[in-house]
Amino acid sequence: MSNSSLQGLSLALPLTSFGNVLLLLFSVSLASSIIFLNMSVCVSILLNRALRSENRFMYMLSTCFSDICSGVSYYYVGVLDVKEIINSPTGTYLIVPTFLGLSYMAVLAAQADRYHAVASPFQYSRRMTRNRTVVIICAYWLYAFLIVAVSNLVPVGVAQRIVSIGSFVANIFTVIIMIGLNIRLFIIARFQLEKEPPSVERDIKRSSVYLILVVALFFLMAWLPLFCYVIVCNFSASVCYAFKNDATDPLRVLPRVNAALTPILYICGCSPLRATLLIKVWRPCCRRR
């Protein structure tokens, strides 16, 4: 972004009507909620050594950290007149949408992790150490920003082809994989785990599988409208409707709403995380006030 483009920025919609004021308040409230909720989950995991020792919480930490970055950036993208496309004078060089993509990749990786843990528990305990999990998380973070760097270094026409083709192929495959993993995990949770004798380990496995199932389901509900829109626009001969900016585009607002919903699902669906949050994070803060 150049200084001249920053000086020419205005609000997403002029505050000339009650509806426009509500949209501004919604954007600010959504950004604040994303940051507060995801920061609460991040701090809870960092404060509890037992949580940090489990791989599933490392993926939670990755998801929440990328969503915190999405929340911070939404003060810019959701409040001001910004269109996040290649060569946009008010864009962020594709950095902001990359944070949303990282959340999506984290949920997909967490699904694969839970499937491996439940389907092959003995192999999982030998292969997926905490260090290897951290390497996987660092790998997809590095991959995402490598694509951003390449897209910003090549000419605009080449960058548009890289983003359009790469996003299309990746979205198709990841959606198919996520849906397939959801179905497979549901079958495992519904039938395979029920055959095991009652134990604490079985209850932990079942709750972790159900949690990632619900999180992935809400991710798909939030992302599929945007994916379908992109696919239709890429293959349709007619010109798709273009919204004024990202703040007024409901298809791009939905993933941000999901970024605030995901930590709520984590808190409601995971009792160790909820206990740590209430005892070590929120209660001390309330006492200080």
Side-chain angles (χ1 to χ4, degrees):
M1 291 177 293
S2 62
N3 292 332
S4 59
S5 63
L6 288 175
Q7 291 173 359
L9 278 175
S10 59
L11 293 175
L13 290 175
L15 302 181
T16 54
S17 67
F18 182 67
N20 292 356
V21 174
L22 284 180
L23 178 64
L24 175 64
L25 294 176
F26 169 78
S27 298
V28 174
S29 300
L30 178 59
S32 303
S33 300
I34 293 172
I35 296 171
F36 172 73
L37 292 169
N38 284 282
M39 184 67 75
S40 298
V41 174
C42 276
V43 173
S44 300
I45 296 174
L46 293 174
L47 289 177
N48 192 322
R49 182 177 296 179
L51 298 184
R52 296 199 308 272
S53 64
E54 295 187 39
N55 293 341
R56 59 181 177 135
F57 289 103
M58 298 307 296
Y59 288 111
M60 284 187 193
L61 194 63
S62 173
T63 305
C64 291
F65 184 72
S66 58
D67 285 340
I68 289 171
C69 296
S70 296
V72 172
S73 62
Y74 201 61
Y75 283 119
Y76 172 72
V77 177
V79 173
L80 302 177
D81 185 13
V82 174
K83 190 77 172 173
E84 187 59 74
I85 56 176
I86 295 176
N87 206 30
S88 170
T90 58
T92 60
Y93 303 104
L94 303 180
I95 294 175
V96 169
T98 299
F99 288 128
L100 288 173
L102 282 166
S103 299
Y104 185 78
M105 293 171 70
V107 172
L108 182 61
Q111 274 189 292
D113 179 83
R114 287 300 87 199
Y115 175 76
H116 189 194
V118 176
S120 306
F122 297 108
Q123 293 181 0
Y124 178 84
S125 60
R126 292 198 308 267
R127 294 176 181 176
M128 292 310 299
T129 61
R130 183 171 176 272
N131 290 337
R132 287 185 179 180
T133 300
V134 173
V135 169
I136 291 174
I137 293 172
C138 293
Y140 64 69
W141 274 78
L142 181 63
Y143 167 78
F145 281 101
L146 181 63
I147 296 298
V148 171
V150 171
S151 300
N152 285 296
L153 290 174
V154 299
V156 176
V158 178
Q160 288 176 338
R161 287 194 294 271
I162 292 174
V163 173
S164 61
I165 297 175
S167 298
F168 172 73
V169 174
N171 291 343
I172 289 293
F173 279 104
T174 55
V175 167
I176 293 174
I177 292 171
M178 185 173 282
I179 293 175
L181 282 175
N182 257 25
I183 296 173
R184 184 60 181 159
L185 282 170
F186 176 78
I187 294 173
I188 290 174
R190 186 67 180 85
F191 300 103
Q192 181 174 324
L193 290 179
E194 292 296 334
K195 296 178 181 179
E196 296 183 6
S199 64
V200 176
E201 184 180 357
R202 188 196 72 168
D203 293 338
I204 293 174
K205 284 183 181 180
R206 185 168 54 185
S207 63
S208 66
V209 169
Y210 280 134
L211 177 59
I212 195 62
L213 276 172
V214 174
V215 170
L217 178 63
F218 277 93
F219 253 84
L220 288 171
M221 292 171 59
W223 281 88
L224 276 178
L226 181 59
F227 287 166
C228 294
Y229 175 81
V230 171
I231 293 172
V232 170
C233 290
N234 284 338
F235 287 94
S236 176
S238 59
V239 179
C240 292
Y241 177 79
F243 292 89
K244 181 177 183 292
N245 47 50
D246 287 358
T248 57
D249 187 347
L251 299 179
R252 299 185 188 278
V253 174
L254 266 178
R256 266 88 182 194
V257 174
N258 187 76
L261 182 61
T262 300
I264 297 176
L265 296 175
Y266 285 153
I267 294 169
C268 295
C270 184
S271 55
L273 176 64
R274 184 169 62 252
T276 303
L277 178 65
L278 294 175
I279 296 172
K280 293 187 176 182
V281 180
W282 284 352
R283 186 177 296 176
C285 292
C286 294
R287 286 177 179 175
R288 290 173 189 172
R289 292 181 181 180

